[in-house]
Amino acid sequence: MTGSPVEWVEDRPAQSVRTCIGCRQREPSADLLRIVARHRDTGSAGVAIVPDPRRRLPGRGAWLHPVSACLRTAERRRAFGRALRVSGNLDISALEQYLENRHEHS
């Protein structure tokens, strides 16, 4: 093989790209909020959808822009169950509260 060596144009670390389950836009994962499904105690039925801002909770995650518009779109599209592969009664109150508190403090 002949020719010039490969030239690197950018010197920045690679960022993972994820898709928002609400608006379906692809963004760097740093711009999105990871969410996970947490099964509740045996006393109550259903699954809680909780935010994972530190990205450390175990289990399958999904990604969402941290704005209420994407939350509402994802809820309307029933995207939480499909993305997290869970079924049943999905409680998003913890996620709603997180987004409200985040908006108040920004």
Side-chain angles (χ1 to χ4, degrees), residues 20-36:
C20 172
I21 63 171
C23 67
R24 306 293 298 156
Q25 293 286 319
R26 293 175 52 86
E27 300 281 347
S29 61
D31 296 341
L32 299 171
L33 173 66
R34 182 176 187 261
I35 58 173
V36 295

Side-chain angles (χ1 to χ4, degrees), residues 52-97:
D52 183 16
R54 294 180 53 217
R55 301 172 184 163
R56 299 286 187 266
L57 292 177
R60 182 175 182 84
W63 299 84
L64 183 74
H65 282 110
V67 294
S68 59
C70 286
L71 173 67
R72 295 294 160 229
T73 304
E75 185 178 24
R76 181 177 45 83
R77 293 179 57 242
R78 297 185 190 118
F80 294 108
R82 283 193 308 275
L84 297 170
R85 297 184 183 168
V86 293
S87 60
N89 184 19
L90 303 179
D91 179 16
I92 63 167
S93 60
L95 184 56
E96 291 172 328
Q97 185 178 11

Side-chain angles (χ1 to χ4, degrees), residues 1-7:
M1 290 181 70
T2 61
S4 63
V6 175
E7 294 182 32

Side-chain angles (χ1 to χ4, degrees), residues 38-46:
R38 305 294 289 185
H39 293 279
R40 293 189 175 173
D41 297 333
T42 56
S44 61

